[in-house]
Every structure is written in C-alpha cells, then in structure tokens.
Amino acid sequence: MYRGVRARLAPWLLAGFGLAFTGAAVVWHLGVETQRIGQLGGPALALALDGLLPLVLVYGSYRLVSSSTPGEQIWTVFVWSVVGSLAVGTVIGLSVFIRMIEGRTIAEPVFVTLLAMETGAVTGLIAGTLAVRARQDASRATRTASTLSFVNDLFRHDIANGLVVIDGRATIIRRNADSETVQTAADAIHEQVTELDSLVDNAGSVVETLGSDPAFEPTDIVGIAEAVIRRIEQTHPIAIELRAPDSAMAYTNEAARPVLRNLIENAIEHGTPAAELSAEGTATDGAVLQDEAQRAETAQSTGDGHDHPSVFVAIRETDDIVEIHVVDDGPGIPEGQRDRIFDPRAGDTHGGGLHLVETLVTSFGGDIYLADTAGKTDLGLTNPGLDGAHFVVELPRA
C-alpha cells in the first residue's frame, strides 16, 4: 500500500520540490533583499538565476510522466534529486559556517547556499533519470533474452520432432524401395536429417555462447574439424585438405562447429567458381557424394586446372592458443573490402556468416583476422594452387 501511495505522489513531490525552491527564491530576493538594500535590480537578476533553475525539476517531472515512466521509478528520481540537493547544500553550508566561525564576512550566504542546493537537485534529477533509463534498458534486455531463449527452445523442440518424423518416413521408403535411385534418395534424406539435427543442437550452443554466462570446456578442435569436413565433403564435390595434429584442445563448446562450417563453406562459395562446381555435378539434388574417386577427379578439374585441394585447413598449437587456418583457391578479398569483411550486411550470406563467426570467436575469448598472402609462407602453408583468402582463428588453448 505504501509503495502504491508514493508511486502516485512521486511526480507531484518532484515538481513540488522544484516549486519550493522557486518560492524560497522569490521570498528571499523580492521580500528580504529588496528591503535590505533598497533596490530591485540586483535581487531580480539573482531571482532570474536561482528562481528559474529549479523549474527544471518541474519540467523533468512532466517529461517522466509523459513518457509513461512508472511511479516507482519517478520516486527513485525524486530521491536522487533530494539527496543531490542535500549533499551539495551541506558542503556549501559547512564551508560558509567555517568562514563565519573564522570571523570572515560572507557576502550573500543565503543566495550561494540556495543556488548550490538547486544545482545539486538538478544534478540528482539528471543522474536519477539516467539510472532509471539504464534499469529500464537492462530489464528490457533481460525480457528480450528470455523471450528469444523461449522461442529458440520451442523452435528447436518442434523442428527436432519434425525431423524424427521425416527420418522415420525415409527409413520406411529405403526398406521398401524397388530401385537404387529411390534408395539413394532415401539415404540422402537421412543424411540431411542428420545434418539438420546437428544444426539444431548447434543452435542451442550458439545461444548459450552469446548469452550472459556461457560455459566453456576443453574441446578437441581437430575432432570437430574432421567431422565438419566429412559432412561437407559428402554433399560437395570438393577436395578439402586438413593438416592437423592428432588433437588440439581449446576452451570452447559445440558452437565451434558453426565457426568451422561457416569458414569452410565460405571458402567453397568464394573459392572455385560455382559454375564450375555445377558443371562437375554438385549434389544440388540432395544426393550424397560418397565416391572418393569422383571427389578427387572433381578437385583436379576445378579452378585453374592445377592438382590441388579447393580448400586447405590447418590447425596448430602454440603455447597459449590454438590456430585454425582456412585457405581457399579463389581470387582473394579485394583490398577495399578487407576492413569490412566481418561487418554484417543484410541479404549477404558472405558477410553475415563471417560476422557470426567473428561474434562466436570473440565470445570464446579468441580472435579472427584475414591474413596476408605472405603469411602462408611464414606458417609453412605454401601451396601454389591456393592463393585466395586466408582466414586465421585464434582460440584460447586448454
């Protein structure tokens, strides 16, 4: 009940606080000072200063009410204003008192003290308003995060259930298929369902990573890279070379999978021209390319005709980081775009994917950058057929 009463009274109290200062200024300058000094000019000028300043409190109260600020939050602003006024007024009042004890003549102590208290009140109004706005923004962000988390969980649950149904129907089709073509199509559906199910799981890791308190643990980056490359090679006629130790542990989580997948798919998209891949039989119909000989033949015949992989991935460990290098065989990044390569761009899957990668890597406490071509030689990554973009990811080593 008390909270409700003060919430209703808060706007009036804040406005009344300002009007009280204005009233005090009118009484002092026009009622007392004019009689003491026998003139109106000086007191009127003083009144224009300390009589109008507190009206800022009245206007502030009006703005808070017109912006639908809750009464409890206006009460908070009122308290800030009162505390600011008392704090500054006390300091100035004590300084005046000390000078009076010392026997010094103090010119206009009331005017100085009154002006100081009004300044403190206005300062408190501004500080309190900023504090309230910050609390509103934090509350709004919390509600938004909770809503997105709920929607994410709901979508993941519904999508996962749908994938189970699709996979079950594909299994029935495969068991009852009379032709190899139908069986191949059913296998392709199963593979895509498995991939989509993995993406759904990864989405949860991405949300956790971008949350306020993500949990990271030692994760084998080499194992993740091998799994990602294996999945990509099943649906793309692309030769991907991986050069890595047996394992490389970094502090991340399952969101490291979309990091690697986006980088490698970006290398495929912007490496060997898509037209050449289509001519070589990219699995646009959903069929899974299992034939290693076909993939090797495609790798040799794409691009500029050299015998090289289309994408090169290298992983290495240093004292405190795990480095991931992804190099493609494309034309590279134009000099004018290098500084904006990680910027989000609406409708551009290139920039959007790389922006997600940068966001996740930064959340891991790592770094990502576009290396110079000369950097490949320094790292022992020289390959005459791969002079395209060279991305480097640095993750904290576990």
Side-chain angles (χ1 to χ4, degrees):
M1 180 177 177
Y2 169 71
R3 292 171 62 90
V5 171
R6 76 181 188 185
R8 289 192 297 271
L9 293 178
W12 299 101
L13 291 174
L14 181 59
F17 191 45
L19 292 175
F21 276 120
T22 298
V26 169
V27 171
W28 175 256
H29 294 301
L30 299 184
V32 177
E33 279 191 323
T34 53
Q35 294 182 1
R36 286 184 177 180
I37 64 177
Q39 61 173 315
L40 184 61
L45 289 176
L47 178 62
L49 181 60
D50 63 359
L52 295 180
L53 180 61
L55 294 181
V56 174
L57 300 179
V58 180
Y59 178 73
S61 176
Y62 164 75
R63 290 293 299 172
L64 289 171
V65 172
S66 63
S67 62
S68 301
T69 303
E72 275 297 320
Q73 295 182 358
I74 298 179
W75 172 263
T76 299
V77 175
F78 169 67
V79 171
W80 275 79
S81 185
V82 172
V83 170
S85 175
L86 292 177
V88 177
T90 299
V91 172
I92 299 300
L94 286 175
S95 68
V96 171
F97 179 70
I98 292 173
R99 291 294 183 264
M100 293 177 66
I101 292 178
E102 294 173 345
R104 300 186 184 187
T105 301
I106 306 298
E108 293 292 341
V110 176
F111 174 53
V112 173
T113 303
L114 188 62
L115 187 61
M117 293 184 67
E118 294 172 353
T119 302
V122 172
T123 302
L125 169 72
I126 297 173
T129 301
L130 292 177
V132 165
R133 293 288 184 258
R135 188 179 303 173
Q136 288 177 337
D137 291 341
S139 177
R140 190 179 300 111
T142 300
R143 289 196 304 270
T144 301
S146 299
T147 301
L148 291 176
S149 178
F150 172 77
V151 172
N152 172 69
D153 292 340
L154 179 63
F155 279 178
R156 288 172 57 201
H157 176 268
D158 291 346
I159 292 173
N161 287 342
L163 292 176
V164 170
V165 174
I166 294 173
D167 192 41
R169 297 298 186 271
T171 301
I172 294 174
I173 293 174
R174 184 171 60 252
R175 290 175 180 174
N176 297 275
D178 296 330
S179 67
E180 183 177 351
T181 301
V182 175
Q183 289 182 346
T184 301
D187 289 337
I189 294 174
H190 174 73
E191 292 292 339
Q192 290 301 312
V193 166
T194 302
E195 176 69 13
L196 290 173
D197 188 56
S198 176
L199 291 176
V200 170
D201 290 338
N202 291 341
S205 300
V206 170
V207 172
E208 178 186 353
T209 301
L210 301 181
S212 58
D213 189 22
F216 302 135
E217 58 185 10
T219 306
D220 184 11
I221 301 301
V222 175
I224 290 179
E226 290 174 343
V228 169
I229 291 173
R230 186 165 54 249
R231 295 293 305 162
I232 291 177
E233 287 187 332
Q234 287 177 344
T235 53
H236 294 79
I238 293 293
I240 303 174
E241 180 183 345
L242 173 63
R243 190 177 302 172
D246 292 336
S247 67
M249 307 301 291
Y251 281 109
T252 63
N253 56 18
E254 284 299 308
R257 292 182 184 273
V259 167
L260 281 159
R261 186 180 65 252
N262 273 280
L263 283 176
I264 295 175
E265 289 181 347
N266 176 78
I268 294 173
E269 179 182 355
H270 299 277
T272 302
E276 295 181 10
L277 295 183
S278 179
E280 294 298 330
T282 304
T284 55
D285 59 351
V288 181
L289 299 178
Q290 302 286 359
D291 190 342
E292 296 294 337
Q294 178 189 356
R295 186 155 48 245
E297 179 182 353
T298 301
Q300 294 179 12
S301 60
T302 56
D304 53 12
H306 291 291
D307 183 8
H308 61 72
S310 295
V311 179
F312 179 76
V313 181
I315 300 174
R316 73 170 192 171
E317 298 174 292
T318 64
D319 291 339
D320 54 357
I321 63 174
V322 174
E323 290 183 355
I324 305 172
H325 300 263
V326 179
V327 189
D328 63 52
D329 62 350
I333 308 297
E335 192 65 31
Q337 298 181 13
R338 295 175 70 90
D339 294 338
R340 307 189 307 272
I341 192 64
F342 297 109
D343 293 345
R345 295 188 292 275
D348 189 343
T349 56
H350 185 148
L354 292 179
H355 177 67
L356 172 63
V357 169
E358 182 192 38
T359 303
L360 291 174
V361 169
T362 302
S363 298
F364 293 147
D367 189 22
I368 180 173
Y369 57 91
L370 188 61
D372 295 331
T373 303
K376 303 171 192 175
T377 303
D378 299 338
L379 293 168
L381 304 179
T382 303
N383 189 315
L386 293 177
D387 292 323
H390 177 186
F391 288 93
V392 182
V393 175
E394 296 179 349
L395 298 174
R397 183 178 179 182

